[in-house]
Amino acid sequence: MGRVTARRRVLRIRDGVPGHRSDTLAAEEPMEIRVGGRALTITMRTPGSDFDLAVGFLVSEGVVHGPDEVLGIRYCAGATADDGNTYNIVDVVLAPGVRLPDLSLERNFYTTSSCGLCGKASLDAVRTTQHWSVADDDAEIDSEVLFTLPDRLRAAQRVFDSTGGLHAAGLFTTDGEMLCLREDVGRHNAVDKVVGHALQEGLLPLRGTVLMVSGRASFELVQKAAMAGIPVLAAVSAPSSLAVDLADETGMTLVGFLRGRSANVYTRAERLRAGQPVA
């Protein structure tokens, strides 16, 4: 398996005084996702929960929607100098009857940030492939519970404590119970890992849940949450304009700048209710 962290010797300057020390870094390695033995995409990720990442990506693409649609997942042989396995190639075998994604070089995956689609084209792509509606999800979350989620997310980040360089995505109930947490150098990968875990556990659609992410709320993260049936997405930083457009289009509650006891609710604010402080 690939390492989650790596050690490097660095020159550290504190109060103008230089010194050498060993520093812990978040690992970043490429992972190729294959479907039925054919290459689909390559993503840069932090090793760990690779099977979750692969099937979570397929959920985001609208390829699979339940565990019965995935026949198997395996590592393929890598290519190290001594013929060892790099664990950087994952092959997903789909069940008979599941439609394969477009594997041609000309494909346009609307979920990737570099796909070249934007604006109305992106919104239309999600609307036409979204398997579950979040607009009719009657989930409600108390504002006091919402305010606790960033600290709960941060407290559960094990690798961040040693590296300071990883994003996190945490799935919570509306009562604040953490169901799953994943870390990765890419915030989109962290979300895919959470969604992939949920798919393999047979939990999709994720009705009545809250996805809490470190960093900002991009269009891509809103799209991934919508494809998994998550009605509430909260982020510690700002959303993009297209992220707000997509949240509004799909009926998702989008919360940004969730810090301390402050937050901006951009869409579907009726899911947020005022309540009593949480112990």
Side-chain angles (χ1 to χ4, degrees), residues 1-240:
M1 290 287 194
R3 294 176 299 170
V4 177
T5 61
R7 301 285 289 177
R8 294 291 186 273
R9 186 170 174 78
V10 301
L11 173 65
R12 183 180 184 183
I13 302 174
R14 290 294 181 271
D15 299 323
V17 180
H20 287 89
R21 55 162 288 178
S22 183
D23 193 35
T24 301
L25 306 175
E28 183 176 25
E29 297 180 8
M31 188 182 92
E32 179 180 303
I33 299 175
R34 296 179 180 177
V35 176
R38 298 181 61 188
L40 177 63
T41 189
I42 295 176
T43 184
M44 299 300 297
R45 97 309 187 188
T46 299
S49 303
D50 290 337
F51 289 0
D52 288 345
L53 173 57
V55 294
F57 178 81
L58 293 181
V59 172
S60 297
E61 295 295 341
V63 177
V64 297
H65 310 101
D68 58 327
E69 295 179 323
V70 177
L71 206 58
I73 315 170
R74 64 181 180 179
Y75 285 109
C76 297
T80 63
D82 57 358
D83 295 325
N85 197 326
T86 61
Y87 295 99
N88 283 338
I89 303 174
V90 173
D91 188 22
V92 181
V93 180
L94 302 180
V98 178
R99 183 178 179 181
L100 292 173
D102 183 1
L103 300 176
S104 71
L105 294 177
E106 293 79 24
R107 74 184 189 278
N108 273 319
F109 273 12
Y110 64 84
T111 56
T112 60
S113 60
S114 59
C115 69
L117 294 175
C118 61
K120 187 177 185 297
S122 296
L123 298 177
D124 287 345
V126 176
R127 183 172 59 245
T128 57
T129 56
Q130 190 178 356
H131 194 67
W132 300 289
S133 172
V134 298
D136 60 355
D137 194 315
D138 59 3
E140 290 186 345
I141 183 169
D142 193 290
S143 60
E144 295 298 333
V145 173
L146 184 69
F147 294 148
T148 69
L149 297 189
D151 287 342
R152 295 185 184 190
L153 183 76
R154 176 66 184 84
Q157 284 189 260
R158 292 179 296 176
V159 183
F160 183 90
D161 286 335
S162 59
T163 67
L166 287 182
H167 288 287
L171 186 68
F172 294 86
T173 67
T174 54
D175 292 328
E177 175 189 357
M178 180 178 286
L179 302 174
C180 177
L181 177 135
R182 294 291 186 268
E183 294 179 278
D184 200 278
V185 288
R187 60 173 63 87
H188 57 290
N189 288 338
V191 172
D192 276 342
K193 288 178 178 181
V194 167
V195 173
H197 166 79
L199 176 126
Q200 296 193 84
E201 294 296 316
L203 300 177
L204 297 185
L206 290 167
R207 296 182 64 84
T209 61
V210 181
L211 182 65
M212 178 74 220
V213 297
S214 61
R216 63 186 181 86
S218 64
F219 168 85
E220 188 175 24
L221 298 195
V222 174
Q223 174 264 324
K224 289 178 181 295
M227 295 296 285
I230 298 172
V232 182
L233 172 62
V236 299
S237 193
S240 67

